[in-house]
Amino acid sequence: MIEERKSSITFSDDAIRRFLLRRLAAREQSAFEQTLMADDDLESRVRLAEVALADDYARGLLTGNEERQFRESFLVTDERKQMLGVSETLNRRFRSSVESASLIQNVKTIFDFRQPVWRYAFAALILLLVFSTVWRKIKEQIVVGPITPKRVVVPKPSATQSPIVAHHPTTSPIPNHVEESTSPPDHQIATPAVVLDGNNSVGNPFELKLRDGNIDSLRAQIVLGENHSTSYRVELWDSKGESLFTINAVAARDGKVIFDIPSRNLSAGEYLIRLKAVEGFTSEETQSYYFRITR
Amino acid sequence: MLPARKLNELRQDDFDRLLAWLDSNRERAAIRYEQIRWRLIAILASRGCADAEELADETIDRVSRRVADIQATYVGDPAIYFLGVMNNVHHEYLKRPPLPRLVEHREDVEVTERLHHCLEICLSKLAPHAREIIEQYYAEDKRAKINLRKRIAAKLGVTNSNLRLRALRIRAKLQQCIQQCVEVSEARP
């Protein structure tokens, strides 16, 4: 309670409470009684202190000792007992009804983003994000830097001189281009090829020497003459007149017909390849090519 | 405050003289009388007197009987004279052998119901802002006490201590209203 008036300034709120709880020293008690009898303001303060004390008791805000003194020394009049009854009733009536509202209000207060604490929190968060991004970049450079090759900065071409003048002195002779012949890489198992054209007739067969080994197929390449068809039927015959292999349609590309012949069962001897031009489903023209296999 | 001793227990002329001594205006005198009685009770209670109201009335009786003698010569605040008489009454009381006290039945259903009824009536008589202060003031608990008071104080634009004073003043008025209401309802058959 506030000590508002001059006349009761000598007695603090604490002294008033001690008076009500019978805890004043004898001299202080006597002075208090004298003042109380003559001072209207002190009476008002004592009345309010009575209410406050009853409220505090009803709310359980008093210490154990104060509670005992309250029961023994304060609750001695009917008026005060009734006062406590009102305090308890008011507490029961309002606390439960506003408890939930108070909880909501507390939550609102906590999450009130206008509060300075939230501003600091957001500022800290932003700083943290900035620092973490910078730190990540630096760390990335530390880790990746030694691994990645340094970029060579190519000087920009100058417009003042032509490329020829800039890079090749006009006085010096043009260097001769020397090309070293390189041998093609050896294949462990190369596919033998039979290259045939119109010259490979019965008397002039293409000769192919096969080495011993597992050769699964021969690559046949037949060079066609002018006015050739777009698609051909291929037949392979041996010298005994037996058909060994047939492909129904092989497309001609760039004047050539290329196909593979299974060679595992081909023995040394002469063979005939017959090409029949296919136009739709009708064979119109037949050409024969001969080759010989030796071992 | 509970009513002072009924007039028929005092001699009417003594009582009238007492009031005239307290104040020439009868209404103001009655207020003064009630003030002095309340203060006597408060002092006796703070001395640990279990029969404070009874001793206060005994004191008033004695003063009333003496007013005729002292009225012309006494100088100063009459209230101080009451205090002197009360000291004697209390001193005598302390010499008496203690009387067995009656067991009190605090949880009287009828009394509680009457109190609730009167509380509702008196709350409805409060101004809206006064009722809000009382509601908020009693809604607080130990944990939320400081925060809640700060919120209410900020809302009303007053300091915490001013808010407490306001709440207590409203509460005191409420107490007065409830007391009167209870007395009236008790007086009904």
Side-chain angles (χ1 to χ4, degrees):
Chain A
M1 217 170 307
I2 295 172
E3 297 161 39
E4 339 173 82
R5 309 286 171 89
K6 278 182 186 174
S7 51
S8 48
I9 198 86
T10 48
F11 295 102
S12 63
D13 292 344
D14 180 58
I16 294 171
R17 184 166 274 222
R18 281 189 287 120
F19 167 77
L20 293 173
L21 292 174
R22 204 183 162 196
R23 290 167 67 189
L24 281 180
R27 185 184 288 181
E28 214 178 356
Q29 175 78 19
S30 176
F32 196 97
E33 289 175 358
Q34 289 276 340
T35 312
L36 180 61
M37 285 308 294
D39 189 341
D40 292 349
D41 292 328
L42 184 59
E43 185 202 312
S44 301
R45 290 177 63 205
V46 173
R47 280 179 184 269
L48 292 180
E50 276 188 333
V51 172
L53 197 59
D55 282 351
D56 287 351
Y57 179 82
R59 291 178 203 173
L61 296 176
L62 300 183
T63 63
N65 199 30
E66 282 174 336
E67 277 190 0
R68 186 181 54 77
Q69 285 172 323
F70 179 88
R71 283 190 298 269
E72 290 175 0
S73 308
F74 184 82
L75 285 181
V76 290
T77 66
D78 290 343
E79 185 186 339
R80 286 178 177 179
K81 286 170 189 168
Q82 196 186 63
M83 190 182 288
L84 178 62
V86 173
S87 287
E88 285 170 342
T89 310
L90 281 167
N91 265 318
R92 275 198 298 269
R93 190 183 188 289
F94 291 121
R95 186 175 291 191
S96 57
S97 65
V98 185
E99 221 160 41
S100 55
S102 180
L103 182 68
I104 293 165
Q105 187 61 42
N106 279 339
V107 173
K108 277 183 181 174
T109 308
I110 291 167
F111 291 101
D112 183 2
F113 296 118
R114 289 169 298 180
Q115 284 186 355
V117 68
W118 281 107
R119 288 179 197 166
Y120 293 132
F122 281 126
L125 183 68
I126 290 165
L127 278 174
L128 195 69
L129 284 171
V130 169
F131 280 125
S132 64
T133 310
V134 170
W135 172 247
R136 224 179 134 184
K137 277 280 174 196
I138 291 168
K139 208 174 175 186
E140 233 171 48
Q141 279 180 1
I142 291 166
V143 174
V144 179
I147 299 167
T148 51
K150 283 186 179 177
R151 186 178 290 177
V152 179
V153 180
V154 180
K156 288 180 180 177
S158 170
T160 52
Q161 290 180 317
S162 70
I164 296 166
V165 174
H167 299 290
H168 303 287
T170 48
T171 52
S172 63
I174 297 165
N176 290 328
H177 177 73
V178 179
E179 192 176 301
E180 290 178 2
S181 61
T182 53
S183 57
D186 292 330
H187 293 282
Q188 291 291 325
I189 302 167
T191 305
V194 178
V195 181
L196 305 168
D197 57 17
N199 296 324
N200 299 118
S201 58
V202 178
N204 184 27
F206 178 86
E207 286 202 5
L208 178 67
K209 186 175 177 69
L210 289 177
R211 292 173 190 169
D212 289 331
N214 290 326
I215 296 168
D216 290 326
S217 62
L218 298 175
R219 170 65 52 86
Q221 181 181 310
I222 299 170
V223 179
L224 303 166
E226 287 181 7
N227 301 321
H228 59 80
S229 180
T230 54
S231 181
Y232 290 92
R233 174 187 167 84
V234 177
E235 292 172 1
L236 178 66
W237 297 80
D238 64 7
S239 56
K240 293 172 188 170
E242 285 180 6
S243 175
L244 302 175
F245 170 75
T246 304
I247 303 173
N248 284 328
V250 179
R253 284 181 186 162
D254 301 323
K256 292 173 189 171
V257 172
I258 299 168
F259 53 92
D260 288 335
I261 302 165
S263 63
R264 191 167 284 273
N265 297 320
L266 294 181
S267 55
E270 285 192 356
Y271 295 89
L272 163 67
I273 293 174
R274 297 177 73 180
L275 288 186
K276 288 184 179 178
V278 178
E279 293 289 342
F281 295 102
T282 309
S283 298
E284 292 179 353
E285 191 183 350
T286 305
Q287 291 173 355
S288 299
Y289 301 91
Y290 293 87
F291 67 96
R292 184 185 295 147
I293 292 174
T294 56
R295 297 272 181 184
Chain B
M1 193 182 296
L2 294 178
R5 209 169 185 181
K6 287 172 187 170
L7 287 178
N8 58 8
E9 292 176 23
L10 286 170
R11 279 176 57 182
Q12 186 62 48
D13 56 341
D14 285 344
F15 188 68
D16 289 341
R17 199 175 293 118
L18 175 71
L19 289 180
W21 184 49
L22 292 176
D23 200 291
S24 54
N25 180 291
R26 188 141 176 116
E27 276 185 22
R28 281 205 301 269
I31 293 168
R32 190 82 180 120
Y33 168 85
E34 288 291 348
Q35 276 182 337
I36 289 169
R37 184 174 182 270
W38 186 89
R39 291 172 193 184
L40 291 175
I41 292 169
I43 291 167
L44 287 163
S46 80
R47 290 182 182 184
C49 177
D51 301 311
E53 285 160 325
E54 190 187 319
L55 292 194
D57 288 336
E58 173 64 30
T59 302
I60 291 168
D61 277 357
R62 286 192 191 183
V63 173
S64 299
R65 284 194 293 270
R66 288 181 196 168
V67 167
D69 301 329
I70 62 163
Q71 198 173 9
T73 55
Y74 184 81
V75 179
D77 187 349
I80 301 299
Y81 185 79
F82 278 85
L83 183 62
V85 175
M86 189 208 75
N87 283 333
N88 293 333
V89 170
H90 186 235
H91 192 66
E92 290 166 20
Y93 167 81
L94 292 173
K95 286 181 179 174
R96 284 184 220 161
L99 295 170
R101 300 190 68 80
L102 293 171
V103 179
E104 293 177 27
H105 299 282
R106 286 207 63 223
E107 285 301 318
D108 189 330
V109 178
E110 198 182 332
V111 171
T112 310
E113 278 179 4
R114 198 178 291 146
L115 198 66
H116 273 89
H117 173 70
C118 287
L119 176 65
E120 290 304 324
I121 290 171
C122 292
L123 280 172
S124 67
K125 286 179 182 173
L126 287 178
H129 77 278
R131 188 190 161 100
E132 192 184 359
I133 288 174
I134 282 290
E135 277 186 23
Q136 300 280 340
Y137 192 76
Y138 283 94
E140 69 188 52
D141 58 11
K142 275 182 188 175
R143 285 172 303 164
K145 190 177 177 182
I146 296 167
N147 285 340
L148 190 63
R149 277 190 185 167
K150 276 183 184 172
R151 277 207 305 275
I152 304 167
K155 190 178 173 184
L156 297 172
V158 295
T159 62
N160 275 1
S161 48
N162 271 337
L163 174 74
R164 181 171 163 80
L165 193 61
R166 262 195 210 188
L168 287 174
R169 279 178 180 159
I170 297 165
R171 167 71 174 83
K173 279 184 186 174
L174 201 60
Q175 179 70 37
Q176 218 171 351
C177 171
I178 290 168
Q179 217 164 291
Q180 285 169 357
C181 170
V182 169
E183 282 164 18
V184 169
S185 59
E186 273 175 349
R188 279 179 195 155

